[in-house]
Amino acid sequence: MKSVVLIITMSLVTILLRTLPFLVFRNHTPKYISYLGKVLPPAIIGMLVIYCLKDVTVFSYPHGIPELIAVACTAGVQAWKRNSLISILSGTVLYMVLVQLVF
């Protein structure tokens, strides 16, 4: 029962936080909010890439080859499809296949 209450509470807080900006800025969105909406997603993706690659050792086997292939796949699919979800999923699946079955 405690888990259900916790999940419902977390869901309501998440929904509130996601809808609050639309309720507050209903008539006019300030320029700085629009600016942040444009620059934050690429900045966050860049930070995630750096975080994911920070522990790659190029001096020992497999020399970062699976990571390089997965990053290239992700970038290629993103350039081709322009869909972040498909890009990230394809790179992740390819990386897991490479690590589990190839390297």
Side-chain angles (χ1 to χ4, degrees):
M1 183 63 181
K2 289 181 182 180
S3 297
V4 173
V5 172
L6 183 63
I7 291 171
I8 290 172
T9 304
M10 290 170 51
S11 300
L12 290 174
V13 169
T14 300
I15 291 169
L16 176 69
L17 289 175
R18 290 181 182 223
T19 57
L20 192 62
F22 295 105
L23 297 173
V24 172
F25 302 120
R26 184 175 301 177
N27 297 331
H28 177 38
T29 304
K31 289 184 180 182
Y32 66 92
I33 297 294
S34 298
Y35 171 74
L36 289 175
K38 290 178 184 174
V39 298
L40 279 181
I44 292 169
I45 295 295
M47 289 177 61
L48 286 173
V49 168
I50 291 169
Y51 178 78
C52 289
L53 298 177
K54 71 178 175 55
D55 292 328
V56 174
T57 55
V58 295
F59 299 112
S60 63
Y61 183 81
H63 306 291
I65 294 171
E67 291 85 356
L68 181 64
I69 293 170
V71 167
C73 171
T74 304
V77 171
Q78 178 63 26
W80 175 44
K81 288 290 189 179
R82 302 275 184 220
N83 186 323
S84 298
L85 182 62
I86 294 173
S87 303
I88 293 169
L89 284 176
S90 64
T92 302
V93 168
L94 178 62
Y95 175 73
M96 294 310 293
V97 167
L98 289 172
V99 169
Q100 298 295 323
L101 301 177
V102 178
F103 291 96

